[in-house]
Amino acid sequence: MVKAWREKHPDTEIPDGHVFVQPWPAGPADKRRDQIIYYQYKADRARRALRGIDEQAAKAEKAVAGATPVKRNRFVQLSGGTKNVNRTLEAKARALAGLKGYVTNLQACPDGTPITPEFAISAYHRLFQIEKSFRMSKHDLQARPIYHHKRDSIEAHLTIVFAALAVSRLIENTTEWSITKFVRTARRYRTVEIQAGAHTVTAEQPLPDDLRAAIDAIDRRASGH
């Protein structure tokens, strides 16, 4: 499919964001529904991939020349005692650089309209955000391990974790800071109350402007303004 596009558009770069659509019908013996694969091309992804291919190809050339030991490299082709750089595989990798596939068996969007590449790809991106939240929860929220054995204790623990996760996502969406950055920045500042006889003295370290702006944004959102 990509090869056919390149033959039809010689000397032309694939437009950034272009999506190739490939139906993948289920066969008689398949235990699945018909699927569609959306291959999206991103120029930035292609640049990163080509840089990696250049590095691997250079390492493969050194390995074949005997300058470095043969290590795991997809471009080094071993046949008996002969070592070669697999230029065919390298050319294929370069031709596919920047493309990423998204598979779905959905036939329609939630509103009943036909499925679109934009909807399927954005759903995968939202899935990444969900996975990111759970990766974050295991560290920043200390969600695991759980040492509870009774159902009530387990549910209480998970309720606290998910509440903290919801607050964390609110902070991230409001401040555009990661929760890690917010926690690490804010925890350096303390307010201390000192009791001196009948008097209470409050000492606090002034907040930097960016943290003050972030906290003010959270306060405004919490108050509904």
Side-chain angles (χ1 to χ4, degrees):
M1 180 174 54
V2 177
K3 181 180 179 181
W5 188 95
R6 293 188 183 277
E7 291 175 350
K8 187 177 179 180
H9 304 83
D11 302 322
T12 303
E13 293 293 332
I14 301 175
D16 187 32
H18 183 78
V19 178
F20 297 93
V21 181
Q22 180 180 11
W24 187 14
D30 288 336
K31 296 181 179 180
R32 64 175 178 85
R33 295 187 293 176
D34 291 344
Q35 296 178 325
I36 300 176
I37 307 176
Y38 299 107
Y39 295 98
Q40 183 191 52
Y41 176 84
K42 298 294 288 184
D44 185 59
R45 186 189 299 135
R47 283 193 294 270
R48 294 195 304 270
L50 290 172
R51 184 167 59 247
I53 292 171
D54 289 339
E55 293 173 356
Q56 285 192 328
K59 291 179 180 178
E61 291 170 357
K62 291 180 179 180
V64 169
T68 59
V70 177
K71 294 183 179 180
R72 190 172 182 178
N73 189 309
R74 58 174 171 162
F75 297 137
V76 175
Q77 186 176 31
L78 300 176
S79 178
T82 305
K83 297 178 293 185
N84 295 291
V85 179
N86 192 334
R87 298 299 183 185
T88 302
L89 182 59
E90 180 188 352
K92 180 180 179 182
R94 292 185 183 279
L96 297 177
L99 290 165
K100 184 175 182 179
Y102 302 86
V103 183
T104 182
N105 59 10
L106 295 176
Q107 301 299 316
C109 298
D111 60 1
T113 58
I115 194 73
T116 63
E118 294 75 18
F119 177 84
I121 294 172
S122 65
Y124 269 94
H125 291 169
R126 291 193 298 272
L127 176 61
F128 169 77
Q129 292 297 326
I130 295 172
E131 292 173 343
K132 176 186 174 184
S133 294
F134 278 91
R135 285 196 300 272
M136 176 269 291
S137 68
K138 290 186 291 185
H139 301 285
D140 298 275
L141 303 182
Q142 301 180 8
R144 294 183 356 180
I146 299 175
Y147 297 108
H148 306 299
H149 302 286
K150 295 183 178 180
R151 182 182 181 89
D152 289 347
S153 298
I154 294 173
E155 290 181 349
H157 180 96
L158 292 177
T159 298
I160 294 171
V161 168
F162 275 91
L165 176 59
V167 172
S168 299
R169 297 299 287 180
L170 182 143
I171 291 173
E172 289 184 331
N173 293 337
T174 303
T175 64
E176 298 184 354
W177 287 19
S178 70
I179 189 60
T180 301
K181 176 183 177 181
F182 183 84
V183 170
R184 288 179 179 174
T185 303
R187 71 170 25 148
R188 296 198 295 264
Y189 300 92
R190 298 285 189 271
T191 298
V192 180
E193 291 187 352
I194 303 172
Q195 191 71 34
H199 302 281
T200 300
V201 180
T202 301
E204 61 182 12
Q205 185 177 358
L207 301 180
D209 293 340
D210 57 348
L211 179 58
R212 170 56 63 190
I215 293 174
D216 288 344
I218 296 170
D219 289 340
R220 287 194 300 271
R221 180 163 182 175
S223 62
H225 295 95

